[in-house]
Short mmCIF file of all heavy atoms in Angstrom, two decimals:
data_model
loop_
_atom_site.label_atom_id
_atom_site.label_comp_id
_atom_site.label_asym_id
_atom_site.label_seq_id
_atom_site.Cartn_x
_atom_site.Cartn_y
_atom_site.Cartn_z
N ARG A 17 37.79 4.85 -136.85
CA ARG A 17 37.08 6.08 -137.23
C ARG A 17 37.64 6.70 -138.51
O ARG A 17 36.98 7.51 -139.15
CB ARG A 17 37.17 7.11 -136.10
CG ARG A 17 36.47 6.68 -134.83
CD ARG A 17 36.64 7.71 -133.72
NE ARG A 17 36.01 7.27 -132.50
CZ ARG A 17 34.73 7.45 -132.19
NH1 ARG A 17 33.96 8.11 -133.05
NH2 ARG A 17 34.24 7.02 -131.06
N THR A 18 38.85 6.32 -138.87
CA THR A 18 39.47 6.87 -140.08
C THR A 18 38.89 6.26 -141.36
O THR A 18 39.18 6.73 -142.46
CB THR A 18 40.99 6.62 -140.04
OG1 THR A 18 41.23 5.23 -139.77
CG2 THR A 18 41.65 7.46 -138.96
N SER A 19 38.08 5.21 -141.24
CA SER A 19 37.51 4.55 -142.41
C SER A 19 36.49 5.45 -143.11
O SER A 19 35.69 6.14 -142.46
CB SER A 19 36.83 3.24 -142.01
OG SER A 19 36.15 2.67 -143.11
N ALA A 20 36.54 5.44 -144.44
CA ALA A 20 35.53 6.18 -145.21
C ALA A 20 34.15 5.59 -144.99
O ALA A 20 33.13 6.26 -145.24
CB ALA A 20 35.88 6.13 -146.70
N TYR A 21 34.08 4.36 -144.51
CA TYR A 21 32.79 3.70 -144.27
C TYR A 21 32.43 3.71 -142.77
O TYR A 21 31.72 2.82 -142.30
CB TYR A 21 32.83 2.26 -144.79
CG TYR A 21 33.05 2.18 -146.28
CD1 TYR A 21 33.92 1.21 -146.81
CD2 TYR A 21 32.43 3.05 -147.17
CE1 TYR A 21 34.14 1.13 -148.18
CE2 TYR A 21 32.65 2.98 -148.53
CZ TYR A 21 33.51 2.01 -149.04
OH TYR A 21 33.72 1.94 -150.40
N TRP A 22 32.93 4.70 -142.07
CA TRP A 22 32.57 4.83 -140.66
C TRP A 22 31.21 5.48 -140.50
O TRP A 22 30.47 5.19 -139.56
CB TRP A 22 33.64 5.66 -139.93
CG TRP A 22 33.45 5.72 -138.45
CD1 TRP A 22 32.97 6.76 -137.71
CD2 TRP A 22 33.74 4.68 -137.52
NE1 TRP A 22 32.92 6.45 -136.39
CE2 TRP A 22 33.41 5.16 -136.24
CE3 TRP A 22 34.25 3.40 -137.64
CZ2 TRP A 22 33.57 4.40 -135.08
CZ3 TRP A 22 34.42 2.63 -136.49
CH2 TRP A 22 34.08 3.13 -135.24
N TYR A 23 30.89 6.38 -141.44
CA TYR A 23 29.61 7.10 -141.43
C TYR A 23 29.43 7.84 -140.10
O TYR A 23 30.31 8.57 -139.68
CB TYR A 23 28.45 6.16 -141.75
CG TYR A 23 28.58 5.52 -143.11
CD1 TYR A 23 28.78 4.15 -143.24
CD2 TYR A 23 28.55 6.30 -144.27
CE1 TYR A 23 28.92 3.56 -144.49
CE2 TYR A 23 28.70 5.72 -145.52
CZ TYR A 23 28.89 4.35 -145.63
OH TYR A 23 29.04 3.79 -146.86
N ARG A 24 28.32 7.62 -139.39
CA ARG A 24 28.09 8.35 -138.14
C ARG A 24 28.17 7.36 -136.98
O ARG A 24 27.29 6.52 -136.81
CB ARG A 24 26.71 9.01 -138.16
CG ARG A 24 26.41 9.86 -136.92
CD ARG A 24 25.09 10.58 -137.06
NE ARG A 24 25.08 11.46 -138.23
CZ ARG A 24 23.98 12.08 -138.67
NH1 ARG A 24 22.83 11.90 -138.07
NH2 ARG A 24 24.05 12.86 -139.73
N GLY A 25 29.25 7.48 -136.21
CA GLY A 25 29.43 6.57 -135.09
C GLY A 25 29.68 5.13 -135.49
O GLY A 25 29.52 4.22 -134.68
N GLY A 26 30.07 4.92 -136.74
CA GLY A 26 30.31 3.56 -137.22
C GLY A 26 29.08 2.91 -137.85
O GLY A 26 29.13 1.75 -138.27
N PHE A 27 27.96 3.67 -137.91
CA PHE A 27 26.70 3.12 -138.42
C PHE A 27 26.20 3.91 -139.61
O PHE A 27 26.24 5.15 -139.61
CB PHE A 27 25.62 3.16 -137.34
CG PHE A 27 25.91 2.31 -136.14
CD1 PHE A 27 26.65 2.80 -135.08
CD2 PHE A 27 25.45 1.00 -136.07
CE1 PHE A 27 26.92 2.02 -133.97
CE2 PHE A 27 25.71 0.21 -134.96
CZ PHE A 27 26.46 0.72 -133.91
N ALA A 28 25.73 3.20 -140.64
CA ALA A 28 24.94 3.83 -141.69
C ALA A 28 23.49 3.65 -141.26
O ALA A 28 22.87 2.60 -141.49
CB ALA A 28 25.21 3.16 -143.04
N TRP A 29 22.94 4.68 -140.61
CA TRP A 29 21.66 4.52 -139.93
C TRP A 29 20.51 4.22 -140.88
O TRP A 29 19.55 3.54 -140.52
CB TRP A 29 21.37 5.77 -139.09
CG TRP A 29 22.30 5.88 -137.93
CD1 TRP A 29 23.37 6.72 -137.81
CD2 TRP A 29 22.29 5.09 -136.74
NE1 TRP A 29 24.02 6.51 -136.61
CE2 TRP A 29 23.37 5.51 -135.93
CE3 TRP A 29 21.46 4.05 -136.27
CZ2 TRP A 29 23.64 4.94 -134.70
CZ3 TRP A 29 21.73 3.49 -135.04
CH2 TRP A 29 22.81 3.94 -134.26
N GLN A 30 20.56 4.72 -142.11
CA GLN A 30 19.50 4.43 -143.06
C GLN A 30 19.46 2.93 -143.38
O GLN A 30 18.39 2.31 -143.42
CB GLN A 30 19.69 5.24 -144.34
CG GLN A 30 19.41 6.73 -144.18
CD GLN A 30 20.56 7.48 -143.53
OE1 GLN A 30 21.55 6.87 -143.09
NE2 GLN A 30 20.46 8.81 -143.46
N ALA A 31 20.63 2.36 -143.61
CA ALA A 31 20.70 0.93 -143.90
C ALA A 31 20.25 0.11 -142.69
O ALA A 31 19.51 -0.88 -142.83
CB ALA A 31 22.12 0.54 -144.30
N MET A 32 20.68 0.52 -141.50
CA MET A 32 20.31 -0.20 -140.29
C MET A 32 18.80 -0.13 -140.05
O MET A 32 18.18 -1.12 -139.65
CB MET A 32 21.05 0.40 -139.09
CG MET A 32 22.55 0.19 -139.12
SD MET A 32 23.00 -1.55 -139.06
CE MET A 32 22.31 -2.03 -137.48
N THR A 33 18.21 1.04 -140.30
CA THR A 33 16.77 1.21 -140.10
C THR A 33 15.98 0.33 -141.05
O THR A 33 15.04 -0.38 -140.65
CB THR A 33 16.38 2.68 -140.31
OG1 THR A 33 17.08 3.50 -139.37
CG2 THR A 33 14.88 2.87 -140.13
N ALA A 34 16.36 0.36 -142.33
CA ALA A 34 15.65 -0.46 -143.33
C ALA A 34 15.79 -1.94 -143.01
O ALA A 34 14.82 -2.71 -143.10
CB ALA A 34 16.20 -0.16 -144.72
N TRP A 35 16.99 -2.35 -142.61
CA TRP A 35 17.23 -3.76 -142.28
C TRP A 35 16.41 -4.20 -141.08
O TRP A 35 15.74 -5.24 -141.11
CB TRP A 35 18.73 -3.95 -142.01
CG TRP A 35 19.08 -5.33 -141.52
CD1 TRP A 35 19.22 -6.46 -142.27
CD2 TRP A 35 19.36 -5.70 -140.16
NE1 TRP A 35 19.56 -7.52 -141.46
CE2 TRP A 35 19.66 -7.09 -140.17
CE3 TRP A 35 19.39 -5.01 -138.95
CZ2 TRP A 35 19.97 -7.78 -139.00
CZ3 TRP A 35 19.72 -5.70 -137.79
CH2 TRP A 35 20.01 -7.06 -137.83
N GLY A 36 16.42 -3.41 -140.02
CA GLY A 36 15.72 -3.78 -138.78
C GLY A 36 14.21 -3.84 -138.96
O GLY A 36 13.56 -4.79 -138.51
N ILE A 37 13.64 -2.82 -139.62
CA ILE A 37 12.19 -2.81 -139.82
C ILE A 37 11.76 -3.97 -140.71
O ILE A 37 10.76 -4.64 -140.45
CB ILE A 37 11.75 -1.46 -140.42
CG1 ILE A 37 11.95 -0.33 -139.40
CG2 ILE A 37 10.30 -1.51 -140.88
CD1 ILE A 37 11.64 1.05 -139.94
N ALA A 38 12.51 -4.21 -141.78
CA ALA A 38 12.18 -5.31 -142.69
C ALA A 38 12.22 -6.66 -141.98
O ALA A 38 11.39 -7.54 -142.22
CB ALA A 38 13.13 -5.32 -143.88
N LEU A 39 13.18 -6.83 -141.09
CA LEU A 39 13.31 -8.08 -140.34
C LEU A 39 12.08 -8.32 -139.47
O LEU A 39 11.53 -9.43 -139.43
CB LEU A 39 14.57 -8.02 -139.48
CG LEU A 39 15.15 -9.34 -138.96
CD1 LEU A 39 15.51 -10.26 -140.11
CD2 LEU A 39 16.37 -9.06 -138.09
N VAL A 40 11.62 -7.25 -138.81
CA VAL A 40 10.43 -7.36 -137.96
C VAL A 40 9.20 -7.66 -138.81
O VAL A 40 8.38 -8.53 -138.47
CB VAL A 40 10.22 -6.07 -137.15
CG1 VAL A 40 8.88 -6.10 -136.42
CG2 VAL A 40 11.36 -5.87 -136.16
N VAL A 41 9.05 -6.95 -139.93
CA VAL A 41 7.90 -7.17 -140.81
C VAL A 41 7.88 -8.61 -141.32
O VAL A 41 6.83 -9.26 -141.35
CB VAL A 41 7.93 -6.18 -141.99
CG1 VAL A 41 6.88 -6.56 -143.05
CG2 VAL A 41 7.68 -4.76 -141.51
N GLY A 42 9.03 -9.11 -141.73
CA GLY A 42 9.10 -10.49 -142.22
C GLY A 42 8.65 -11.49 -141.17
O GLY A 42 7.93 -12.45 -141.49
N MET A 43 9.04 -11.29 -139.92
CA MET A 43 8.64 -12.20 -138.84
C MET A 43 7.15 -12.12 -138.57
O MET A 43 6.53 -13.12 -138.17
CB MET A 43 9.42 -11.89 -137.57
CG MET A 43 10.91 -12.17 -137.68
SD MET A 43 11.28 -13.89 -138.09
CE MET A 43 10.69 -14.72 -136.62
N LEU A 44 6.53 -10.97 -138.80
CA LEU A 44 5.08 -10.83 -138.60
C LEU A 44 4.30 -11.76 -139.52
O LEU A 44 3.21 -12.23 -139.17
CB LEU A 44 4.64 -9.38 -138.83
CG LEU A 44 5.18 -8.32 -137.86
CD1 LEU A 44 4.67 -6.95 -138.25
CD2 LEU A 44 4.76 -8.65 -136.42
N PHE A 45 4.85 -12.02 -140.72
CA PHE A 45 4.16 -12.85 -141.71
C PHE A 45 4.58 -14.32 -141.64
O PHE A 45 4.11 -15.12 -142.44
CB PHE A 45 4.47 -12.33 -143.12
CG PHE A 45 3.80 -11.03 -143.45
CD1 PHE A 45 4.54 -9.85 -143.50
CD2 PHE A 45 2.45 -10.96 -143.70
CE1 PHE A 45 3.94 -8.64 -143.81
CE2 PHE A 45 1.83 -9.76 -144.01
CZ PHE A 45 2.58 -8.60 -144.06
N THR A 46 5.45 -14.67 -140.71
CA THR A 46 6.06 -15.99 -140.70
C THR A 46 5.40 -16.92 -139.70
O THR A 46 5.05 -16.52 -138.58
CB THR A 46 7.56 -15.86 -140.37
OG1 THR A 46 8.19 -15.08 -141.39
CG2 THR A 46 8.22 -17.23 -140.31
N LYS A 47 5.26 -18.20 -140.11
CA LYS A 47 4.71 -19.23 -139.23
C LYS A 47 5.57 -20.48 -139.34
O LYS A 47 5.83 -20.98 -140.42
CB LYS A 47 3.27 -19.57 -139.61
CG LYS A 47 2.64 -20.64 -138.71
CD LYS A 47 1.21 -20.92 -139.10
CE LYS A 47 0.60 -21.98 -138.18
NZ LYS A 47 -0.81 -22.28 -138.54
N VAL A 48 6.01 -20.97 -138.18
CA VAL A 48 6.75 -22.24 -138.11
C VAL A 48 6.12 -23.08 -137.00
O VAL A 48 5.13 -22.68 -136.40
CB VAL A 48 8.26 -22.01 -137.85
CG1 VAL A 48 8.91 -21.29 -139.02
CG2 VAL A 48 8.48 -21.21 -136.56
N ASP A 49 6.71 -24.23 -136.72
CA ASP A 49 6.12 -25.14 -135.73
C ASP A 49 5.94 -24.50 -134.36
O ASP A 49 4.96 -24.76 -133.66
CB ASP A 49 7.00 -26.40 -135.60
CG ASP A 49 6.85 -27.32 -136.78
OD1 ASP A 49 5.93 -27.11 -137.59
OD2 ASP A 49 7.67 -28.26 -136.91
N TRP A 50 6.89 -23.68 -133.95
CA TRP A 50 6.86 -23.14 -132.59
C TRP A 50 6.66 -21.63 -132.53
O TRP A 50 6.75 -21.03 -131.46
CB TRP A 50 8.16 -23.50 -131.87
CG TRP A 50 9.39 -23.20 -132.68
CD1 TRP A 50 10.02 -24.04 -133.55
CD2 TRP A 50 10.12 -21.96 -132.72
NE1 TRP A 50 11.10 -23.40 -134.13
CE2 TRP A 50 11.19 -22.13 -133.63
CE3 TRP A 50 9.98 -20.73 -132.07
CZ2 TRP A 50 12.10 -21.12 -133.90
CZ3 TRP A 50 10.90 -19.72 -132.35
CH2 TRP A 50 11.93 -19.93 -133.25
N PHE A 51 6.37 -21.00 -133.66
CA PHE A 51 6.18 -19.54 -133.69
C PHE A 51 5.22 -19.17 -134.81
O PHE A 51 5.29 -19.72 -135.91
CB PHE A 51 7.52 -18.84 -133.91
CG PHE A 51 7.39 -17.36 -134.18
CD1 PHE A 51 7.21 -16.47 -133.14
CD2 PHE A 51 7.41 -16.88 -135.48
CE1 PHE A 51 7.08 -15.10 -133.40
CE2 PHE A 51 7.28 -15.52 -135.74
CZ PHE A 51 7.12 -14.63 -134.69
N SER A 52 4.31 -18.24 -134.51
CA SER A 52 3.38 -17.76 -135.53
C SER A 52 3.23 -16.25 -135.37
O SER A 52 2.77 -15.75 -134.33
CB SER A 52 2.01 -18.44 -135.38
OG SER A 52 1.12 -17.99 -136.37
N GLY A 53 3.63 -15.50 -136.41
CA GLY A 53 3.49 -14.06 -136.38
C GLY A 53 2.03 -13.65 -136.48
O GLY A 53 1.20 -14.39 -137.02
N PRO A 54 1.67 -12.46 -135.98
CA PRO A 54 0.27 -12.01 -136.00
C PRO A 54 -0.32 -11.86 -137.39
O PRO A 54 -1.54 -11.84 -137.54
CB PRO A 54 0.33 -10.67 -135.26
CG PRO A 54 1.77 -10.24 -135.32
CD PRO A 54 2.56 -11.49 -135.34
#
């Protein structure tokens, strides 16, 4: 917790939000042999 990069509870929530949403969006557009996004 003493780290300057602890932010809130150990998370930089803005970065986490952008990363998570982008990951989901990318999978929506992706098609492979065993998976096809909508």
Side-chain angles (χ1 to χ4, degrees):
R17 296 178 182 274
T18 51
S19 173
Y21 298 138
W22 187 256
Y23 299 114
R24 184 175 300 172
F27 296 87
W29 291 104
Q30 288 79 355
M32 294 297 299
T33 300
W35 174 79
I37 292 176
L39 199 59
V40 172
V41 170
M43 294 301 294
L44 295 179
F45 289 106
T46 298
K47 180 179 181 180
V48 295
D49 286 349
W50 48 270
F51 170 81
S52 181

